[in-house]
Amino acid sequence: MPIPIIVQGFQEGFGTIPYLWPVLKTAPWILLLAALKYYFGGARNTSERLMHSKVVMVTGGTSGIGACVVRELAARGAQVILLTKQPPSDLFLVEYIEDLRRLTKSQLIYAEQVDLSSLHSIRTFATKWIDNNPPRRLDAVVLCGGVAVPRGARKNTIDGIDEEWQVNYLANFHLLSILSPALRVQPAHRDVRVVFATCSSYIGAKFDLAVVKREPGAIGGPTTVSVNSKAKVKTDVHRPASTKGIYALSKFTLMTFAHSFQRHLNAYKRPDGLPPCTRVLVVDPGLSRTPGTRRWLTGGSLWGLLLYLLTWPLWWLVLKSPDQGAQSILYALMEENYGRGEGGWMIKECREVDCARRDVRDEDLGKRVWEFSEQQIEEAEKEGALRRALEKKEKEAAEQKQEKKQTAPASNKEKSAGSRRSRKAK
Ligand SMILES: NC(=O)c1ccc[n+]([C@@H]2O[C@H](COP(=O)([O-])OP(=O)(O)OC[C@H]3O[C@@H](n4cnc5c(N)ncnc54)[C@H](OP(=O)(O)O)[C@@H]3O)[C@@H](O)[C@H]2O)c1
């Protein structure tokens, strides 16, 4: 097609070709746009691994990057267990899974309720998982669940802990600490991987755990619990003076924990004397146009959303699509080389990179983080158990009161001497 046009240009003059100059003027811009789009789209995973029958647990698999990872894994025949905030009976979740099954032609997609903002919910699921005998097969854990809370929308979880800190970091610590035996008992020949999703914001994180310290006795979060006057449990939420930088801190701490967790797995002496089979990988997926990013960019407000829509072409250009964001996670799960060795690699743009902060590998720092997290969980869980016991008591008392109310009129009628019924009986 262009050859006859070029020939015409030489024979009859380029001025005879319609729209030549406007096309020549806009073509470099279109090429530049295509080059930028290609550049910001990042690398694509080209590694292949047989995923059929592999059991993969995924947090955050219902949205954004996690949803794309799940789709790809399910299409390759992996058995996917979605750890979701909602119970498996939730209508939207049921529909989502049905769609996913239809789309991927795989029936091996299930959901289990694990609300990352509730330590109790995590413990309930994880203990149920490890209680199984013989131990269940587990080939990978992908930790994509997370929140990026806009300024002004900060809140504490039901455990009285900052939501961003708990969902992005503490929940992962809690889940893996309980699941650790389930990972260690996998047969030595099995290539087991734990993939943590991080973010380059960790580079600028200020390591100060005081910002996320939990005030003893603080319960709060979305559910305000009513307690009777005898049991004095504070419902006011402790909030430190500055909550700036918690997202970055949560990601930095998550990476520190990832390395500590690898050391913890490597230190385990298997009864069969064989080397450990679980490797930890930390992945930076790159900035992507996911619901989480959109909420953060818009600040969770309508004006923010309007501004976002007006500037959408810019975001379309510089941010990856969720599918492009999922590529490095898929690479970490599928690249053959990571099935051997010491573990603890960092992946970005589908290749291994060095951590920009050396201190995430620091053993002493790792120990401090581990102890802090254990203590925070212990405190919160104790208070949570007390709160649930009180709630149960209150509920039982209310039920008893209701029962009494229902039975009282009948017996009263029988007993009252002056009633019409009793006079009739006489
Ligand atoms: N997007 C980016 O630009 C970017 C960049 C670097 C790193 N990352 C990291 O990549 C991961 C995925 O990011 P994303 O942008 O794809 O996230 P997203 O779209 O906001 O999705 C977050 C996922 O986490 C789940 N989740 C949130 N709170 C939860 C809770 N309390 N319990 C259980 N699940 C919960 C959400 O479930 P619901 O759908 O039910 O709410 C959702 O499936 C995150 O760890 C993020 O930090 C993202």
PDB file of all heavy atoms in Angstrom, residues 60-66 83-86 114-117 143-147 167 197-200 247 251 284-288 290-293, ligand 1:
ATOM      1  N   GLY A  60      -5.404 -11.125  48.256  1.00  0.00           N
ATOM      2  CA  GLY A  60      -5.602 -10.011  47.313  1.00  0.00           C
ATOM      3  C   GLY A  60      -5.865 -10.484  45.896  1.00  0.00           C
ATOM      4  O   GLY A  60      -5.601  -9.758  44.942  1.00  0.00           O
ATOM      5  N   GLY A  61      -6.421 -11.698  45.773  1.00  0.00           N
ATOM      6  CA  GLY A  61      -6.643 -12.272  44.442  1.00  0.00           C
ATOM      7  C   GLY A  61      -7.953 -11.856  43.805  1.00  0.00           C
ATOM      8  O   GLY A  61      -8.323 -12.396  42.762  1.00  0.00           O
ATOM      9  N   THR A  62      -8.661 -10.906  44.417  1.00  0.00           N
ATOM     10  CA  THR A  62      -9.956 -10.512  43.860  1.00  0.00           C
ATOM     11  C   THR A  62      -9.889  -9.178  43.120  1.00  0.00           C
ATOM     12  O   THR A  62     -10.895  -8.717  42.594  1.00  0.00           O
ATOM     13  CB  THR A  62     -11.002 -10.382  44.987  1.00  0.00           C
ATOM     14  OG1 THR A  62     -10.429  -9.573  46.024  1.00  0.00           O
ATOM     15  CG2 THR A  62     -11.402 -11.727  45.541  1.00  0.00           C
ATOM     16  N   SER A  63      -8.708  -8.560  43.115  1.00  0.00           N
ATOM     17  CA  SER A  63      -8.644  -7.234  42.489  1.00  0.00           C
ATOM     18  C   SER A  63      -7.216  -6.931  42.031  1.00  0.00           C
ATOM     19  O   SER A  63      -6.247  -7.498  42.564  1.00  0.00           O
ATOM     20  CB  SER A  63      -9.123  -6.218  43.530  1.00  0.00           C
ATOM     21  OG  SER A  63      -8.634  -4.948  43.286  1.00  0.00           O
ATOM     22  N   GLY A  64      -7.100  -6.056  41.054  1.00  0.00           N
ATOM     23  CA  GLY A  64      -5.805  -5.531  40.610  1.00  0.00           C
ATOM     24  C   GLY A  64      -4.816  -6.595  40.177  1.00  0.00           C
ATOM     25  O   GLY A  64      -5.147  -7.548  39.458  1.00  0.00           O
ATOM     26  N   ILE A  65      -3.587  -6.447  40.655  1.00  0.00           N
ATOM     27  CA  ILE A  65      -2.489  -7.317  40.242  1.00  0.00           C
ATOM     28  C   ILE A  65      -2.754  -8.769  40.651  1.00  0.00           C
ATOM     29  O   ILE A  65      -2.552  -9.696  39.865  1.00  0.00           O
ATOM     30  CB  ILE A  65      -1.164  -6.802  40.865  1.00  0.00           C
ATOM     31  CG1 ILE A  65      -0.847  -5.411  40.303  1.00  0.00           C
ATOM     32  CG2 ILE A  65      -0.026  -7.768  40.634  1.00  0.00           C
ATOM     33  CD1 ILE A  65       0.278  -4.677  40.995  1.00  0.00           C
ATOM     34  N   GLY A  66      -3.240  -8.947  41.894  1.00  0.00           N
ATOM     35  CA  GLY A  66      -3.508 -10.285  42.412  1.00  0.00           C
ATOM     36  C   GLY A  66      -4.516 -11.027  41.546  1.00  0.00           C
ATOM     37  O   GLY A  66      -4.368 -12.228  41.289  1.00  0.00           O
ATOM     38  N   LEU A  83      -7.724 -16.194  49.415  1.00  0.00           N
ATOM     39  CA  LEU A  83      -7.983 -15.812  50.798  1.00  0.00           C
ATOM     40  C   LEU A  83      -8.648 -14.441  50.758  1.00  0.00           C
ATOM     41  O   LEU A  83      -8.009 -13.441  50.406  1.00  0.00           O
ATOM     42  CB  LEU A  83      -6.685 -15.764  51.608  1.00  0.00           C
ATOM     43  CG  LEU A  83      -5.819 -17.032  51.571  1.00  0.00           C
ATOM     44  CD1 LEU A  83      -4.707 -16.943  52.593  1.00  0.00           C
ATOM     45  CD2 LEU A  83      -6.629 -18.296  51.808  1.00  0.00           C
ATOM     46  N   THR A  84      -9.931 -14.415  51.049  1.00  0.00           N
ATOM     47  CA  THR A  84     -10.701 -13.185  50.838  1.00  0.00           C
ATOM     48  C   THR A  84     -11.301 -12.624  52.120  1.00  0.00           C
ATOM     49  O   THR A  84     -11.532 -13.359  53.074  1.00  0.00           O
ATOM     50  CB  THR A  84     -11.862 -13.443  49.852  1.00  0.00           C
ATOM     51  OG1 THR A  84     -12.673 -14.481  50.414  1.00  0.00           O
ATOM     52  CG2 THR A  84     -11.374 -13.867  48.492  1.00  0.00           C
ATOM     53  N   LYS A  85     -11.548 -11.314  52.061  1.00  0.00           N
ATOM     54  CA  LYS A  85     -12.146 -10.621  53.198  1.00  0.00           C
ATOM     55  C   LYS A  85     -13.565 -11.159  53.450  1.00  0.00           C
ATOM     56  O   LYS A  85     -14.004 -11.316  54.560  1.00  0.00           O
ATOM     57  CB  LYS A  85     -12.226  -9.136  52.829  1.00  0.00           C
ATOM     58  CG  LYS A  85     -12.289  -8.226  53.998  1.00  0.00           C
ATOM     59  CD  LYS A  85     -12.288  -6.735  53.678  1.00  0.00           C
ATOM     60  CE  LYS A  85     -11.907  -6.241  52.343  1.00  0.00           C
ATOM     61  NZ  LYS A  85     -11.967  -4.801  52.155  1.00  0.00           N
ATOM     62  N   GLN A  86     -14.262 -11.447  52.363  1.00  0.00           N
ATOM     63  CA  GLN A  86     -15.659 -11.885  52.471  1.00  0.00           C
ATOM     64  C   GLN A  86     -15.723 -13.404  52.657  1.00  0.00           C
ATOM     65  O   GLN A  86     -14.829 -14.115  52.220  1.00  0.00           O
ATOM     66  CB  GLN A  86     -16.438 -11.543  51.185  1.00  0.00           C
ATOM     67  CG  GLN A  86     -16.456 -10.084  50.817  1.00  0.00           C
ATOM     68  CD  GLN A  86     -15.174  -9.617  50.135  1.00  0.00           C
ATOM     69  OE1 GLN A  86     -14.312 -10.404  49.802  1.00  0.00           O
ATOM     70  NE2 GLN A  86     -15.046  -8.323  49.947  1.00  0.00           N
ATOM     71  N   VAL A 114     -10.396 -14.992  54.919  1.00  0.00           N
ATOM     72  CA  VAL A 114      -9.262 -14.530  55.728  1.00  0.00           C
ATOM     73  C   VAL A 114      -9.254 -13.003  55.637  1.00  0.00           C
ATOM     74  O   VAL A 114      -8.759 -12.435  54.673  1.00  0.00           O
ATOM     75  CB  VAL A 114      -7.908 -15.097  55.213  1.00  0.00           C
ATOM     76  CG1 VAL A 114      -6.773 -14.609  56.091  1.00  0.00           C
ATOM     77  CG2 VAL A 114      -7.926 -16.604  55.181  1.00  0.00           C
ATOM     78  N   ASP A 115      -9.820 -12.382  56.637  1.00  0.00           N
ATOM     79  CA  ASP A 115      -9.831 -10.923  56.650  1.00  0.00           C
ATOM     80  C   ASP A 115      -8.492 -10.468  57.231  1.00  0.00           C
ATOM     81  O   ASP A 115      -8.211 -10.691  58.416  1.00  0.00           O
ATOM     82  CB  ASP A 115     -11.013 -10.432  57.501  1.00  0.00           C
ATOM     83  CG  ASP A 115     -11.105  -8.926  57.536  1.00  0.00           C
ATOM     84  OD1 ASP A 115     -10.201  -8.253  57.001  1.00  0.00           O
ATOM     85  OD2 ASP A 115     -12.084  -8.412  58.106  1.00  0.00           O
ATOM     86  N   LEU A 116      -7.698  -9.840  56.394  1.00  0.00           N
ATOM     87  CA  LEU A 116      -6.356  -9.455  56.830  1.00  0.00           C
ATOM     88  C   LEU A 116      -6.386  -8.370  57.909  1.00  0.00           C
ATOM     89  O   LEU A 116      -5.378  -8.121  58.556  1.00  0.00           O
ATOM     90  CB  LEU A 116      -5.531  -8.981  55.627  1.00  0.00           C
ATOM     91  CG  LEU A 116      -5.321 -10.036  54.528  1.00  0.00           C
ATOM     92  CD1 LEU A 116      -4.630  -9.424  53.325  1.00  0.00           C
ATOM     93  CD2 LEU A 116      -4.523 -11.228  55.031  1.00  0.00           C
ATOM     94  N   SER A 117      -7.533  -7.743  58.073  1.00  0.00           N
ATOM     95  CA  SER A 117      -7.603  -6.708  59.111  1.00  0.00           C
ATOM     96  C   SER A 117      -8.130  -7.291  60.424  1.00  0.00           C
ATOM     97  O   SER A 117      -8.479  -6.560  61.331  1.00  0.00           O
ATOM     98  CB  SER A 117      -8.482  -5.551  58.642  1.00  0.00           C
ATOM     99  OG  SER A 117      -9.794  -6.016  58.428  1.00  0.00           O
ATOM    100  N   LEU A 143       1.409 -13.229  48.278  1.00  0.00           N
ATOM    101  CA  LEU A 143       0.854 -12.229  49.193  1.00  0.00           C
ATOM    102  C   LEU A 143       0.664 -10.896  48.473  1.00  0.00           C
ATOM    103  O   LEU A 143       1.559 -10.059  48.427  1.00  0.00           O
ATOM    104  CB  LEU A 143       1.793 -12.082  50.396  1.00  0.00           C
ATOM    105  CG  LEU A 143       2.025 -13.392  51.154  1.00  0.00           C
ATOM    106  CD1 LEU A 143       3.245 -13.318  52.038  1.00  0.00           C
ATOM    107  CD2 LEU A 143       0.808 -13.793  51.967  1.00  0.00           C
ATOM    108  N   CYS A 144      -0.510 -10.762  47.860  1.00  0.00           N
ATOM    109  CA  CYS A 144      -0.830  -9.553  47.079  1.00  0.00           C
ATOM    110  C   CYS A 144      -1.813  -8.646  47.794  1.00  0.00           C
ATOM    111  O   CYS A 144      -2.095  -7.550  47.327  1.00  0.00           O
ATOM    112  CB  CYS A 144      -1.444  -9.933  45.737  1.00  0.00           C
ATOM    113  SG  CYS A 144      -0.212 -10.242  44.498  1.00  0.00           S
ATOM    114  N   GLY A 145      -2.368  -9.110  48.895  1.00  0.00           N
ATOM    115  CA  GLY A 145      -3.370  -8.309  49.604  1.00  0.00           C
ATOM    116  C   GLY A 145      -2.721  -7.056  50.172  1.00  0.00           C
ATOM    117  O   GLY A 145      -1.604  -7.112  50.684  1.00  0.00           O
ATOM    118  N   GLY A 146      -3.390  -5.951  50.047  1.00  0.00           N
ATOM    119  CA  GLY A 146      -2.817  -4.717  50.592  1.00  0.00           C
ATOM    120  C   GLY A 146      -3.773  -3.558  50.468  1.00  0.00           C
ATOM    121  O   GLY A 146      -4.757  -3.613  49.737  1.00  0.00           O
ATOM    122  N   VAL A 147      -3.481  -2.511  51.206  1.00  0.00           N
ATOM    123  CA  VAL A 147      -4.263  -1.271  51.078  1.00  0.00           C
ATOM    124  C   VAL A 147      -3.301  -0.085  51.058  1.00  0.00           C
ATOM    125  O   VAL A 147      -2.261  -0.110  51.695  1.00  0.00           O
ATOM    126  CB  VAL A 147      -5.273  -1.064  52.249  1.00  0.00           C
ATOM    127  CG1 VAL A 147      -6.479  -1.934  52.105  1.00  0.00           C
ATOM    128  CG2 VAL A 147      -4.617  -1.252  53.603  1.00  0.00           C
ATOM    129  N   VAL A 167      -2.765  -4.666  57.454  1.00  0.00           N
ATOM    130  CA  VAL A 167      -3.088  -5.411  56.221  1.00  0.00           C
ATOM    131  C   VAL A 167      -1.816  -5.635  55.383  1.00  0.00           C
ATOM    132  O   VAL A 167      -1.589  -6.722  54.850  1.00  0.00           O
ATOM    133  CB  VAL A 167      -4.176  -4.679  55.408  1.00  0.00           C
ATOM    134  CG1 VAL A 167      -4.408  -5.344  54.069  1.00  0.00           C
ATOM    135  CG2 VAL A 167      -5.480  -4.641  56.201  1.00  0.00           C
ATOM    136  N   ALA A 197       4.577  -9.192  47.730  1.00  0.00           N
ATOM    137  CA  ALA A 197       4.502  -8.015  46.843  1.00  0.00           C
ATOM    138  C   ALA A 197       4.926  -6.783  47.633  1.00  0.00           C
ATOM    139  O   ALA A 197       4.345  -6.470  48.660  1.00  0.00           O
ATOM    140  CB  ALA A 197       3.083  -7.837  46.325  1.00  0.00           C
ATOM    141  N   THR A 198       5.961  -6.124  47.141  1.00  0.00           N
ATOM    142  CA  THR A 198       6.406  -4.899  47.819  1.00  0.00           C
ATOM    143  C   THR A 198       6.195  -3.710  46.888  1.00  0.00           C
ATOM    144  O   THR A 198       5.548  -3.821  45.844  1.00  0.00           O
ATOM    145  CB  THR A 198       7.868  -5.029  48.275  1.00  0.00           C
ATOM    146  OG1 THR A 198       8.191  -3.881  49.062  1.00  0.00           O
ATOM    147  CG2 THR A 198       8.833  -5.113  47.101  1.00  0.00           C
ATOM    148  N   CYS A 199       6.787  -2.608  47.241  1.00  0.00           N
ATOM    149  CA  CYS A 199       6.607  -1.387  46.442  1.00  0.00           C
ATOM    150  C   CYS A 199       7.861  -0.542  46.639  1.00  0.00           C
ATOM    151  O   CYS A 199       8.457  -0.563  47.726  1.00  0.00           O
ATOM    152  CB  CYS A 199       5.373  -0.684  46.974  1.00  0.00           C
ATOM    153  SG  CYS A 199       5.169   0.974  46.376  1.00  0.00           S
ATOM    154  N   SER A 200       8.261   0.203  45.609  1.00  0.00           N
ATOM    155  CA  SER A 200       9.531   0.937  45.726  1.00  0.00           C
ATOM    156  C   SER A 200       9.485   2.030  46.791  1.00  0.00           C
ATOM    157  O   SER A 200      10.520   2.600  47.119  1.00  0.00           O
ATOM    158  CB  SER A 200       9.959   1.503  44.376  1.00  0.00           C
ATOM    159  OG  SER A 200       8.849   1.899  43.650  1.00  0.00           O
ATOM    160  N   TYR A 247       2.678   3.465  54.991  1.00  0.00           N
ATOM    161  CA  TYR A 247       2.678   2.540  53.848  1.00  0.00           C
ATOM    162  C   TYR A 247       4.124   2.098  53.535  1.00  0.00           C
ATOM    163  O   TYR A 247       4.410   0.906  53.416  1.00  0.00           O
ATOM    164  CB  TYR A 247       2.033   3.214  52.627  1.00  0.00           C
ATOM    165  CG  TYR A 247       1.986   2.308  51.414  1.00  0.00           C
ATOM    166  CD1 TYR A 247       0.978   1.364  51.286  1.00  0.00           C
ATOM    167  CD2 TYR A 247       2.967   2.384  50.428  1.00  0.00           C
ATOM    168  CE1 TYR A 247       0.939   0.520  50.187  1.00  0.00           C
ATOM    169  CE2 TYR A 247       2.928   1.544  49.326  1.00  0.00           C
ATOM    170  CZ  TYR A 247       1.914   0.623  49.208  1.00  0.00           C
ATOM    171  OH  TYR A 247       1.887  -0.220  48.126  1.00  0.00           O
ATOM    172  N   LYS A 251       5.947  -1.670  53.982  1.00  0.00           N
ATOM    173  CA  LYS A 251       6.615  -2.423  52.907  1.00  0.00           C
ATOM    174  C   LYS A 251       8.073  -2.724  53.283  1.00  0.00           C
ATOM    175  O   LYS A 251       8.585  -3.815  53.018  1.00  0.00           O
ATOM    176  CB  LYS A 251       6.557  -1.634  51.589  1.00  0.00           C
ATOM    177  CG  LYS A 251       5.164  -1.573  50.993  1.00  0.00           C
ATOM    178  CD  LYS A 251       4.646  -2.954  50.634  1.00  0.00           C
ATOM    179  CE  LYS A 251       3.250  -2.938  50.054  1.00  0.00           C
ATOM    180  NZ  LYS A 251       2.675  -4.256  49.843  1.00  0.00           N
ATOM    181  N   ASP A 284       8.707  -6.431  43.289  1.00  0.00           N
ATOM    182  CA  ASP A 284       8.163  -5.086  43.090  1.00  0.00           C
ATOM    183  C   ASP A 284       7.462  -5.086  41.732  1.00  0.00           C
ATOM    184  O   ASP A 284       8.110  -5.113  40.691  1.00  0.00           O
ATOM    185  CB  ASP A 284       9.301  -4.056  43.117  1.00  0.00           C
ATOM    186  CG  ASP A 284       8.777  -2.641  42.920  1.00  0.00           C
ATOM    187  OD1 ASP A 284       7.565  -2.481  42.664  1.00  0.00           O
ATOM    188  OD2 ASP A 284       9.581  -1.695  43.021  1.00  0.00           O
ATOM    189  N   PRO A 285       6.130  -5.068  41.724  1.00  0.00           N
ATOM    190  CA  PRO A 285       5.417  -5.183  40.434  1.00  0.00           C
ATOM    191  C   PRO A 285       5.474  -3.920  39.581  1.00  0.00           C
ATOM    192  O   PRO A 285       5.203  -3.953  38.392  1.00  0.00           O
ATOM    193  CB  PRO A 285       3.970  -5.475  40.850  1.00  0.00           C
ATOM    194  CG  PRO A 285       3.846  -5.054  42.265  1.00  0.00           C
ATOM    195  CD  PRO A 285       5.207  -4.995  42.869  1.00  0.00           C
ATOM    196  N   GLY A 286       5.816  -2.795  40.204  1.00  0.00           N
ATOM    197  CA  GLY A 286       5.823  -1.520  39.469  1.00  0.00           C
ATOM    198  C   GLY A 286       4.461  -0.856  39.549  1.00  0.00           C
ATOM    199  O   GLY A 286       3.444  -1.511  39.796  1.00  0.00           O
ATOM    200  N   LEU A 287       4.448   0.457  39.345  1.00  0.00           N
ATOM    201  CA  LEU A 287       3.189   1.213  39.494  1.00  0.00           C
ATOM    202  C   LEU A 287       2.162   0.798  38.446  1.00  0.00           C
ATOM    203  O   LEU A 287       2.446   0.835  37.246  1.00  0.00           O
ATOM    204  CB  LEU A 287       3.471   2.711  39.378  1.00  0.00           C
ATOM    205  CG  LEU A 287       4.056   3.360  40.637  1.00  0.00           C
ATOM    206  CD1 LEU A 287       4.406   4.802  40.363  1.00  0.00           C
ATOM    207  CD2 LEU A 287       3.082   3.261  41.811  1.00  0.00           C
ATOM    208  N   SER A 288       0.992   0.402  38.909  1.00  0.00           N
ATOM    209  CA  SER A 288      -0.033  -0.118  38.000  1.00  0.00           C
ATOM    210  C   SER A 288      -1.386   0.554  38.248  1.00  0.00           C
ATOM    211  O   SER A 288      -1.662   0.995  39.363  1.00  0.00           O
ATOM    212  CB  SER A 288      -0.190  -1.629  38.200  1.00  0.00           C
ATOM    213  OG  SER A 288       1.072  -2.243  38.297  1.00  0.00           O
ATOM    214  N   THR A 290      -4.431   0.024  39.216  1.00  0.00           N
ATOM    215  CA  THR A 290      -5.341  -0.908  39.892  1.00  0.00           C
ATOM    216  C   THR A 290      -6.339  -0.119  40.726  1.00  0.00           C
ATOM    217  O   THR A 290      -6.130   1.077  40.971  1.00  0.00           O
ATOM    218  CB  THR A 290      -4.537  -1.828  40.831  1.00  0.00           C
ATOM    219  OG1 THR A 290      -3.920  -0.991  41.812  1.00  0.00           O
ATOM    220  CG2 THR A 290      -3.485  -2.609  40.105  1.00  0.00           C
ATOM    221  N   PRO A 291      -7.405  -0.764  41.219  1.00  0.00           N
ATOM    222  CA  PRO A 291      -8.343  -0.041  42.083  1.00  0.00           C
ATOM    223  C   PRO A 291      -7.643   0.589  43.292  1.00  0.00           C
ATOM    224  O   PRO A 291      -7.999   1.683  43.719  1.00  0.00           O
ATOM    225  CB  PRO A 291      -9.332  -1.121  42.511  1.00  0.00           C
ATOM    226  CG  PRO A 291      -9.268  -2.133  41.419  1.00  0.00           C
ATOM    227  CD  PRO A 291      -7.863  -2.136  40.919  1.00  0.00           C
ATOM    228  N   GLY A 292      -6.644  -0.110  43.827  1.00  0.00           N
ATOM    229  CA  GLY A 292      -5.915   0.418  44.990  1.00  0.00           C
ATOM    230  C   GLY A 292      -5.178   1.714  44.651  1.00  0.00           C
ATOM    231  O   GLY A 292      -5.246   2.695  45.397  1.00  0.00           O
ATOM    232  N   THR A 293      -4.498   1.723  43.509  1.00  0.00           N
ATOM    233  CA  THR A 293      -3.753   2.920  43.095  1.00  0.00           C
ATOM    234  C   THR A 293      -4.723   4.063  42.821  1.00  0.00           C
ATOM    235  O   THR A 293      -4.473   5.206  43.173  1.00  0.00           O
ATOM    236  CB  THR A 293      -2.938   2.617  41.814  1.00  0.00           C
ATOM    237  OG1 THR A 293      -2.184   1.447  42.046  1.00  0.00           O
ATOM    238  CG2 THR A 293      -2.010   3.744  41.445  1.00  0.00           C
TER     239      THR A 293
HETATM  240  N1  LIG B   1      -0.741  -1.109  42.106  1.00  0.00           N
HETATM  241  C1  LIG B   1       0.458  -0.638  42.221  1.00  0.00           C
HETATM  242  O1  LIG B   1       0.802   0.360  41.591  1.00  0.00           O
HETATM  243  C2  LIG B   1       1.455  -1.315  43.112  1.00  0.00           C
HETATM  244  C3  LIG B   1       2.793  -0.911  43.074  1.00  0.00           C
HETATM  245  C4  LIG B   1       3.706  -1.546  43.869  1.00  0.00           C
HETATM  246  C5  LIG B   1       3.287  -2.544  44.728  1.00  0.00           C
HETATM  247  N2  LIG B   1       1.984  -2.907  44.764  1.00  0.00           N
HETATM  248  C6  LIG B   1       1.577  -3.966  45.695  1.00  0.00           C
HETATM  249  O2  LIG B   1       0.942  -5.017  44.976  1.00  0.00           O
HETATM  250  C7  LIG B   1      -0.085  -5.590  45.768  1.00  0.00           C
HETATM  251  C8  LIG B   1      -1.400  -5.566  45.003  1.00  0.00           C
HETATM  252  O3  LIG B   1      -1.700  -4.217  44.717  1.00  0.00           O
HETATM  253  P1  LIG B   1      -2.998  -3.767  43.914  1.00  0.00           P
HETATM  254  O4  LIG B   1      -2.791  -2.357  43.551  1.00  0.00           O
HETATM  255  O5  LIG B   1      -3.301  -4.763  42.869  1.00  0.00           O
HETATM  256  O6  LIG B   1      -4.090  -3.819  45.069  1.00  0.00           O
HETATM  257  P2  LIG B   1      -5.668  -3.564  45.002  1.00  0.00           P
HETATM  258  O7  LIG B   1      -6.162  -3.439  43.623  1.00  0.00           O
HETATM  259  O8  LIG B   1      -5.973  -2.469  45.958  1.00  0.00           O
HETATM  260  O9  LIG B   1      -6.193  -4.933  45.609  1.00  0.00           O
HETATM  261  C9  LIG B   1      -5.920  -5.220  46.922  1.00  0.00           C
HETATM  262  C10 LIG B   1      -6.403  -6.606  47.241  1.00  0.00           C
HETATM  263  O10 LIG B   1      -6.207  -6.796  48.639  1.00  0.00           O
HETATM  264  C11 LIG B   1      -7.433  -7.242  49.198  1.00  0.00           C
HETATM  265  N3  LIG B   1      -7.613  -6.774  50.560  1.00  0.00           N
HETATM  266  C12 LIG B   1      -7.613  -5.505  51.017  1.00  0.00           C
HETATM  267  N4  LIG B   1      -7.900  -5.492  52.315  1.00  0.00           N
HETATM  268  C13 LIG B   1      -8.094  -6.782  52.692  1.00  0.00           C
HETATM  269  C14 LIG B   1      -8.449  -7.411  53.903  1.00  0.00           C
HETATM  270  N5  LIG B   1      -8.657  -6.713  55.007  1.00  0.00           N
HETATM  271  N6  LIG B   1      -8.575  -8.752  53.911  1.00  0.00           N
HETATM  272  C15 LIG B   1      -8.390  -9.485  52.797  1.00  0.00           C
HETATM  273  N7  LIG B   1      -8.063  -8.956  51.606  1.00  0.00           N
HETATM  274  C16 LIG B   1      -7.925  -7.604  51.561  1.00  0.00           C
HETATM  275  C17 LIG B   1      -8.513  -6.620  48.329  1.00  0.00           C
HETATM  276  O11 LIG B   1      -9.707  -7.352  48.495  1.00  0.00           O
HETATM  277  P3  LIG B   1     -11.111  -6.643  48.145  1.00  0.00           P
HETATM  278  O12 LIG B   1     -11.142  -6.542  46.661  1.00  0.00           O
HETATM  279  O13 LIG B   1     -12.120  -7.564  48.717  1.00  0.00           O
HETATM  280  O14 LIG B   1     -11.089  -5.316  48.833  1.00  0.00           O
HETATM  281  C18 LIG B   1      -7.893  -6.784  46.950  1.00  0.00           C
HETATM  282  O15 LIG B   1      -8.126  -8.069  46.432  1.00  0.00           O
HETATM  283  C19 LIG B   1      -0.142  -4.776  47.063  1.00  0.00           C
HETATM  284  O16 LIG B   1       0.593  -5.444  48.042  1.00  0.00           O
HETATM  285  C20 LIG B   1       0.539  -3.489  46.695  1.00  0.00           C
HETATM  286  O17 LIG B   1       1.159  -2.882  47.803  1.00  0.00           O
HETATM  287  C21 LIG B   1       1.049  -2.314  43.971  1.00  0.00           C
END
